[in-house]
Amino acid sequence: MKVISEVLRMQGMMILQVAVLVVALILVLVWLLGVRSQTPLRRVNDAVPKQPYEDVKFRSGDKQCCGWFIPSRDIATQEQPTAPTIIIVHGWGSNRAYSLRYVDPLYDARFSIFLFDVRCHGDSEEIPASSSFTFRDDLLAAVEYVRTRPDVQQDAIGVVGHSLGGLGSILALDLGLSVQAVITDSMPIRLRTVLQSECSRIHIPMFPLAYMVMFIWLLRARITPQLFKNMNVIHVLNRNAQGANIPVFLVHSRHDGFIPHSELQYIIDHVNTKVEHLFIEIQGHSCSEQDQQFWGHVIPFFRRHLLGTDQRIAQRS
């Protein structure tokens, strides 16, 4: 009897050890999954602007970011010493080369353009864990750099932020984003939406893995509960309307299969103020610039908020 009892005890210990090992293995795999999903694909900048441009490097935190500054044709021809400038912020897993799709219409409208790689993207340096705050902080650093340039009209700086770059642009409003107009293109606003998109991309189920991955994201990026609370786009837009009141224009396609247009509808339904916005009908997440409605609203929006009356008359003539 004693031998049987000892055998059962040893079997119980073995089962417990195996269970602990299995749980530990699952936790390690989930952690690795969280790290992988929080590490953006680093795409090579395989194109350069066709307009005259300048290679630029600037600091964000203790890391280096790389960019291109494309001076307005008015500066290139010495018609004007300064020009209104548009800063373009790419999305997750993208880079400044992919943002070149926005350049031609803005250049033709006589704006200078600044494109840059967010940290962990393109040619910019790495950080341990990227997040929407990375896009926010790198945009703030980009604005600070642009404001040091003598060829930039200081009271005429705008931003175009695509996808997570748009979210970072909106979050930057809470930290005194020193620009005169912001446009977002296909922006996610809820972490659940970002999770669903990422889970779809790497083919894992939302429940229960996604919520464990979300915890890992927040932990690795050192996002505290208070910081997470501050990521509420609705609250940011309401505070902007009551304070700095920087003009914001939100664009989303009704046929975006990656970030659904319900994100924009959620903003419209929940903010306390009227939001200038546009729903377009083009298929896809990264092709709004191919829709003529997009430029039919974007260029006039920037002209209205970045150009003085004399400049607008001059551009029309």
Side-chain angles (χ1 to χ4, degrees), residues 10-285:
M10 292 182 66
Q11 286 180 337
M13 289 184 63
M14 289 179 62
I15 291 171
L16 179 61
Q17 289 173 342
V18 169
V20 169
L21 286 173
V22 169
V23 170
L25 180 60
I26 290 172
L27 291 176
V28 169
L29 290 175
V30 172
W31 178 268
L32 292 175
L33 182 61
V35 171
R36 178 192 167 194
S37 62
Q38 200 174 19
T39 304
L41 179 65
R42 188 180 276 274
R43 299 179 186 273
V44 175
N45 284 304
D46 55 0
V48 296
K50 62 186 180 183
Q51 299 85 1
Y53 70 94
E54 175 187 340
D55 282 309
V56 167
K57 293 181 180 179
F58 65 97
R59 307 294 296 183
S60 180
D62 61 348
K63 300 296 182 181
Q64 180 174 270
C65 292
C66 299
W68 294 314
F69 187 85
I70 304 172
S72 163
R73 62 177 59 189
D74 289 343
I75 293 174
T77 58
Q78 298 183 335
E79 290 183 28
Q80 299 288 340
T82 65
T85 301
I86 309 299
I87 300 172
I88 301 177
V89 193
H90 63 72
W92 182 265
S94 187
N95 59 22
R96 58 187 151 138
Y98 197 60
S99 297
L100 288 170
R101 57 202 172 93
Y102 292 111
V103 166
D104 285 355
L106 293 170
Y107 186 78
D108 290 343
R110 305 172 91 156
F111 293 106
S112 293
I113 302 121
F114 182 54
L115 311 97
F116 70 95
D117 294 326
V118 173
R119 285 170 295 172
C120 294
H121 295 77
D123 298 318
S124 293
E125 292 185 336
E126 293 277 345
I127 57 173
S130 187
S131 71
S132 56
F133 289 134
T134 310
F135 288 76
R136 178 199 67 181
D137 295 344
D138 289 359
L139 170 58
L140 291 168
V143 172
E144 185 176 342
Y145 162 74
V146 164
R147 287 193 166 278
T148 67
R149 296 186 62 98
D151 53 358
V152 169
Q153 188 176 326
Q154 298 295 304
D155 60 350
I157 299 173
V159 173
V160 175
H162 175 252
S163 195
L164 208 62
L167 177 56
S169 302
I170 295 299
L171 295 178
L173 293 172
D174 254 3
L175 295 184
L177 180 64
S178 185
V179 301
Q180 283 65 54
V182 174
I183 292 177
T184 71
D185 176 13
S186 310
M187 174 180 68
I189 67 164
R190 291 171 285 192
L191 189 55
R192 177 181 175 83
T193 303
V194 177
L195 273 171
Q196 286 175 327
S197 301
E198 192 61 21
C199 287
S200 175
R201 184 183 71 84
I202 61 179
H203 308 294
I204 65 169
M206 273 290 286
F207 182 83
L209 290 180
Y211 298 98
M212 300 169 72
V213 166
M214 180 176 70
F215 175 77
I216 293 168
W217 284 4
L218 299 177
L219 183 65
R220 294 185 71 241
R222 299 181 180 179
I223 297 176
T224 65
Q226 184 58 45
L227 285 174
F228 182 69
K229 183 179 178 182
N230 291 340
M231 289 175 66
N232 189 309
V233 168
I234 305 300
H235 293 167
V236 174
L237 290 173
N238 285 337
R239 286 192 288 269
N240 176 61
Q242 295 165 4
N245 201 22
I246 294 171
V248 174
F249 183 59
L250 313 177
V251 182
H252 214 118
S253 173
R254 296 187 190 276
H255 306 290
D256 188 335
F258 189 64
I259 301 296
H261 73 277
S262 56
E263 294 292 274
L264 175 49
Q265 190 61 53
Y266 185 86
I267 294 175
I268 296 167
D269 293 341
H270 289 83
V271 291
N272 296 334
T273 185
K274 184 178 179 181
V275 176
E276 195 168 353
H277 66 276
L278 172 68
F279 286 107
I280 56 177
E281 303 298 330
I282 198 163
Q283 295 281 347
H285 177 62

